Amino acid sequence: MRAFALALLMAAPAFAAEEAPPGASTCLGCHSPVRADAAIPPLRGRDAAAVAAAMREFREGTRPATLMDRLARGFTEEESQAIAAWIVR
Amino acid sequence: MKATRRALAALLLPAPVFAQARPRVVVVGGGFGGATAARSLHRAGIATTLVEASATYTACPFSNAVIAGLRGMAAQRFGYDALRAEGITVVHQRATGVDATARRVTLVDGTTLPFDRALLSPGIEIRFDGLPGYDEAAAEVMPHAWQAGPQTELLAAQLRDMPDGGTVVMVVPPNPYRCPPGPYERASLIAHFLKSRKPRSKLLVLDAKDVFSKQRLFEAAWASLYPDTLEYVPLAMGGRVTEVDPKSRRVTTDFGTQDGAVVNVIPPQRAGAIAQLAGVADRSGWCPVDPASFESRLVPGVHVIGDAIIAGAMPKSAFAANAQARVAAAAMVALLAGRAVQAPKLLNTCYSLVAPEYGISVAGVYQPANGLLTDVSGAGGTSPLEAPAGVRAAEARYAEDWFATITADVFG
């Protein structure tokens, strides 16, 4: 338990939640980190590389979407990767 | 185990990174913007007080479904217990002033709340001087239902009780106003109600504009779903209402008069009262802010978010208020810690229902440019004009899901 707490502390310095990369925190308007029954997929705990890859496919129009294609086009590959790394935590 | 968990929670609480004592922020307004900001600030280690006059928040998104008899009012109501349980001080009083020099907010009972920075999320107030004939008494006869609550229930009751064969009149204002696609979602759902419950009745929509949000999608849906029920009159065709008379439930346009069995007047608006009192609103009635920090351009140290601000391309929506709250809170934490504010990007997503199981959306990505929030080029836009029913049903489901997520995020 203590080791777990220590690991968390080391992984998540104070203010990490507020140091979200540009755009990332506003994803939480739809992608709930807490709801278990959500239709819009929660992203916490997902693989960051897979989320970044999905963002790339949305951006390039190769992944079926209702809305994420329109949002993903607002971010570069680098920005998408930073968002993915933040949102899965 | 509980004690361990509490110790762990204490460990995980943000470490003291501020040079002096724990900074204090007072947030005024407990809607989607203010409540989100209060949570973000608190979680970043700021001593946060939320001032909100009402003990219950009534959400506007989905209130059009209540008006059309598709949803109960209870689903719109939220409280502040979860915020209080988290450690946020919640004060249910009206704020009567913000003194940026003395750095304190004054409440209606005379209490003062000191702050290092303040954040206002004032929402809107109805301009009862904005449309001749439309005052507070008129709103009890011709409801606006543009602030959810008793007005929503009044309009729902009027529609429910109206005899079949009557005309419902909707009066839609010029820009800017809360929720740009809201009047057209409302028109759609009222038309759905009339078509299914009072099929000899009509809806006449009188608009002070020629162009509106998701226009082609709404107009295509109206043509296919409500051709015999809904008539839309834009500005160019005489849609602008210049005067209303509650005694006869009559509205006057540039071209004539129209009586309604039910008249829904969405009047002109401005930033909520505290914005005027605090001096953060300009002569337009809305609040100019820095697009990265959301600090007022008129009163340093006071940040403003949500429907009340002049946000450039970003619309006045609950989603936008929630997004701005997160970004403004991060900026305030940075400023209080003596760090620079990073250039943000913000998202917006607005779903509208044109019928049950038929949702459409508009989305955008925004960044500061030329002192305002501007569209990131190449991103954003509306749902496709042509789409199978399954896509419309999926967007209706996502609309519900968004509401469940954002209300859990803000109040849960």
Side-chain angles (χ1 to χ4, degrees):
Chain A
M1 191 74 179
R2 242 179 239 151
F4 174 60
L6 191 63
L8 267 179
L9 278 173
M10 291 176 65
F15 292 100
E18 297 302 336
E19 295 281 7
S25 67
T26 68
C27 301
L28 301 178
C30 286
H31 292 277
S32 175
V34 294
R35 286 182 62 221
D37 58 344
I40 299 168
L43 299 173
R44 178 177 281 178
R46 297 273 184 117
D47 175 52
V51 173
M55 284 279 281
R56 186 179 317 122
E57 290 159 17
F58 282 131
R59 189 173 70 237
E60 292 170 352
T62 56
R63 188 182 177 97
T66 54
L67 184 141
M68 268 310 298
D69 51 344
R70 293 177 254 158
L71 294 177
R73 286 198 302 268
F75 298 93
T76 64
E77 175 63 23
E78 192 183 2
E79 288 173 326
S80 301
Q81 287 189 15
I83 290 169
W86 183 87
I87 200 131
V88 301
R89 300 170 330 155
Chain B
M1 185 61 194
K2 252 188 193 155
T4 315
R5 224 181 270 159
R6 213 165 286 149
L8 182 61
L11 269 175
L12 287 173
L13 277 175
V17 298
F18 299 109
Q20 282 99 32
R22 210 170 152 219
R24 295 162 303 186
V25 170
V26 176
V27 177
V28 181
F32 284 98
T36 303
R39 284 194 138 165
S40 300
L41 290 160
H42 171 76
R43 288 171 188 175
I46 308 273
T48 306
T49 302
L50 175 64
V51 178
E52 163 56 48
S54 177
T56 304
Y57 182 72
T58 308
C60 274
F62 277 94
S63 65
N64 286 332
V66 176
I67 287 164
L70 297 168
R71 185 180 176 92
M73 198 62 184
Q76 300 303 110
R77 293 198 184 103
F78 301 89
Y80 297 92
D81 287 350
L83 277 75
R84 223 175 252 117
E86 197 175 331
I88 297 165
T89 306
V90 183
V91 181
H92 290 305
Q93 280 201 56
R94 196 160 51 82
T96 56
V98 180
D99 185 334
T101 310
R103 291 185 181 178
R104 63 187 179 213
V105 170
T106 307
L107 306 181
V108 70
D109 75 347
T111 308
T112 58
L113 302 171
F115 62 77
D116 295 299
R117 283 182 177 271
L119 183 140
L120 312 183
S121 189
I124 56 144
E125 75 176 7
I126 302 298
R127 281 190 51 187
F128 284 114
D129 61 349
L131 177 62
Y134 200 72
D135 56 15
E136 279 170 285
E140 296 304 312
V141 180
M142 307 160 110
H144 54 79
W146 217 243
Q147 290 164 311
Q151 279 277 309
T152 311
E153 295 180 287
L154 178 60
L155 182 55
Q158 287 186 352
L159 289 167
R160 193 182 61 227
D161 297 342
M162 116 183 190
D164 192 9
T167 298
V168 177
V169 177
M170 271 186 73
V171 178
V172 183
N175 291 320
Y177 58 91
R178 159 180 282 178
C179 191
Y184 312 98
E185 177 188 70
R186 177 175 293 179
S188 306
L189 295 182
I190 290 177
H192 176 266
F193 170 80
L194 296 177
K195 185 183 168 186
S196 49
R197 307 277 289 279
K198 315 213 181 213
R200 295 188 295 117
S201 308
K202 304 279 183 217
L203 170 62
L204 180 65
V205 182
L206 300 173
D207 199 343
K209 305 183 291 302
D210 287 317
V211 176
F212 60 87
S213 176
K214 307 180 213 177
Q215 182 160 4
R216 294 174 71 206
L217 286 159
F218 276 115
E219 289 182 339
W222 294 343
S224 78
L225 297 173
Y226 313 120
D228 302 322
T229 307
L230 192 162
E231 183 186 350
Y232 175 74
V233 183
L235 171 67
M237 301 297 287
R240 188 171 73 101
V241 169
T242 53
E243 188 174 358
V244 301
D245 178 9
K247 282 197 278 299
S248 51
R249 285 195 170 135
R250 173 171 295 177
V251 307
T252 303
T253 68
D254 289 336
F255 289 13
T257 62
Q258 174 71 46
D259 294 354
V262 173
V263 181
N264 168 216
V265 176
I266 305 169
Q269 299 147 35
R270 65 183 160 222
I274 192 64
Q276 327 288 333
L277 293 169
V280 294
D282 69 15
R283 287 171 64 192
S284 72
W286 305 98
C287 307
V289 297
D290 177 274
S293 67
F294 293 87
E295 186 166 10
S296 169
R297 292 207 187 276
L298 304 178
V299 184
V302 178
H303 300 245
V304 193
I305 58 169
D307 291 351
I309 68 169
I310 299 167
M314 205 169 182
K316 301 184 185 304
S317 73
F319 191 114
N322 175 263
Q324 291 163 7
R326 299 176 194 281
V327 170
M332 292 170 83
V333 168
L335 290 167
L336 288 163
R339 288 190 277 108
V341 173
Q342 75 171 352
K345 278 191 175 179
L346 298 95
L347 305 179
N348 179 63
T349 296
C350 286
Y351 289 102
S352 301
L353 296 177
V354 294
E357 314 287 310
Y358 190 140
I360 56 176
S361 63
V362 62
V365 186
Y366 308 92
Q367 65 189 2
N370 305 319
L372 286 170
L373 287 160
T374 56
D375 283 301
V376 173
S377 70
T382 64
S383 311
L385 196 53
E386 304 291 336
V391 169
R392 306 303 191 204
E395 291 222 285
R397 194 166 65 247
Y398 288 145
E400 291 265 11
D401 202 58
W402 164 76
F403 187 76
T405 288
I406 199 161
T407 54
D409 179 70
V410 179
F411 299 106

